[in-house]
Amino acid sequence: MKHISTIRLSLAALGTAVALSASALPPKYIFLYIGDGMGMGPSMAAEMYNRQVLKNDTPITMMQFPVAGFCMTYSASSPVTDSAAAGTALATGTKTKNEMLGMNPDSIAVYSIASTLKAKGYGIGDITTVAPDDATPGAFYAHVPNRNMTYEIGVQAAESGFEFIGGGGWRTPAKEGKKSLFDVFEENNVKVVFGPDSAACIGNAERVVMVNHWGTDPSNMGYSIDSIPGTLTLPFLTNQCLDHLKRVSPDAFFMMVEGGNIDHALHSNDGGTAVKEILNFNNALDIAYQFYKEHPDETLIVVTADHDTGGMTIGNPTLSYNARLQFIDSQKISKLEFQNMLTRSAQKGEKCTWDEMKEILMEKFGFWRGVPVTEKQEEALKKEFNDMIAQRNLADQKTLYATFNGFVAKVFKVFNDAAGIGFVTSSHTGNPVPVFAVGVGADSFKNLNNNIEIPQKIMELVESK
């Protein structure tokens, strides 16, 4: 396997790594956790919810790690990166242009730490809560000029040699004139299993792809807040991947674990769902942390984000110097599922009056039952509702992954205002993101990092002896 030609440490980072390597062997077990879109705002909102609402005396797991720092995320083409360029940076140590995946700006393939570690004998796991052919997971095995080449990305997943790949599903399982993607997996001795009940079917397979049941949304495994029965979850997938790697590659392995739908929720400006997804991500991180405590001298865990999404804040113009994150527990449904619920109802020709909708808002969001709604806000909600019913509402909110009608957008604006949550955009920002680390060489990741330095430092630690 070709080595990562672009990995070059700064003298300061090199000095740190060399100093660490003098007292520790290279890490045998490496976990890279990536909270997609998980900037400082949503991270701190999850910790505030953990402390004030759940009444936990200890911070969420990543904030218990002894090393904390920041990371810059700009791409080769913009101060505001997309996920493809950011994923490529975190996977390969190379800056590239937005939309490009596993290639440098000149369209030359660059190779990830996962591929390099695979060549060194490490087992590889690559899992996410979104599609395995999405930007972040794809950056660890694929080389395409555009992230939307999902069929080609899927073929490269089959050819990667990775022992475990998991997520929502493959977005382009077939392409005219090409083999079925599942035939390509079979030709590469990859066992494809569907849903959590399929774990027992893995048997002695060396290579596994685990995705949700056929017919579900491949781009998102589903939000924790919606509690969709029969779907994979990130903690379940993490356990499955870790168990598999311990079986097929017990001496050394690398796992990339992505909380991909944190980003989806933040694109939707759905603060409550984003907080619950970060806590779900934290639950998956607990699994690696327990493993670390059993192998403290052999394990490295690094947690970061590919970029910040939404510019989420704790505090907004409505509440000024306050926030009421306890209202998050009044939210029983994600913004996406609420939109889908209304769409399904309209498709069935079901009629709904404003009084009936008020009951739904009370049930799903706690409006008028703990979550305050002013008369002015109620008038605005009723107007948007009537416009929606009349099918003449043009105030749609378009985001990267979904489009919400004006009524749904207004409902969540009212809810966020009441909770003290703010957003500056439905896209990415150039804000820095957090970095947390524990284990062998963790001190390498303190202070201010550039995203390309994360994989560079990991590889320097691996190659330190």
Side-chain angles (χ1 to χ4, degrees), residues 129-364:
T129 55
V130 293
D133 55 28
D134 212 336
T136 302
F140 286 83
Y141 60 80
H143 315 280
V144 290
N146 190 287
R147 61 182 290 185
N148 294 316
M149 298 171 65
T150 50
Y151 175 82
E152 290 76 11
I153 294 170
V155 170
Q156 292 179 48
E159 296 171 346
S160 68
F162 289 5
E163 281 76 9
F164 195 102
I165 296 175
W170 303 98
R171 291 177 293 177
T172 311
K175 187 174 182 179
E176 187 176 356
K178 302 288 186 180
K179 293 179 181 178
S180 162
L181 191 55
F182 297 107
D183 288 339
V184 179
F185 279 120
E186 185 175 359
E187 290 173 358
N188 283 272
N189 297 314
V190 182
K191 187 161 191 175
V192 181
V193 296
F194 298 90
D197 52 347
S198 66
C201 302
I202 292 174
N204 294 321
E206 292 290 316
R207 298 186 60 204
V208 174
V209 162
M210 180 176 283
V211 291
N212 258 338
H213 289 291
W214 190 256
T216 58
D217 181 4
S219 66
N220 192 328
M221 289 197 318
Y223 292 119
S224 303
I225 199 169
D226 295 322
S227 301
I228 303 171
T231 60
L232 295 169
T233 67
L234 192 60
F236 179 87
L237 205 54
T238 302
N239 267 320
Q240 291 298 311
C241 183
L242 180 57
D243 287 347
H244 185 75
L245 291 177
K246 288 192 294 185
R247 176 173 67 84
V248 301
S249 186
D251 294 331
F253 57 74
F254 169 87
M255 276 180 62
M256 194 291 294
V257 181
E258 184 201 23
N261 51 15
I262 299 171
D263 177 66
H264 288 210
L266 292 167
H267 273 291
S268 299
N269 290 175
D270 185 351
T273 294
V275 166
K276 294 294 179 72
E277 284 308 312
I278 293 173
L279 295 178
N280 185 55
F281 179 73
N282 186 72
N283 290 338
L285 179 60
D286 284 339
I287 296 166
Y289 190 47
Q290 291 304 313
F291 181 90
Y292 156 77
K293 289 193 286 188
E294 296 170 2
H295 307 273
D297 298 326
E298 302 173 304
T299 304
L300 169 66
I301 306 175
V302 180
V303 182
T304 190
D306 54 350
H307 51 73
D308 171 69
T309 299
M312 179 177 166
T313 62
I314 309 166
N316 61 25
T318 301
L319 291 190
S320 186
Y321 290 95
N322 196 9
R324 298 179 290 200
L325 297 187
Q326 68 270 22
F327 289 167
I328 288 175
D329 283 348
S330 297
Q331 182 182 342
K332 309 300 183 185
I333 190 170
S334 69
K335 189 173 183 177
L336 178 63
E337 184 56 27
F338 186 56
Q339 175 69 61
N340 290 341
M341 182 185 79
L342 297 182
T343 299
R344 289 192 297 267
S345 178
Q347 289 172 343
K348 294 177 182 178
E350 297 173 346
K351 303 296 183 181
C352 181
T353 66
W354 171 241
D355 287 340
E356 290 170 334
M357 179 52 66
K358 285 186 67 173
E359 288 294 327
I360 293 172
L361 296 178
M362 291 177 192
E363 175 192 353
K364 300 296 186 184

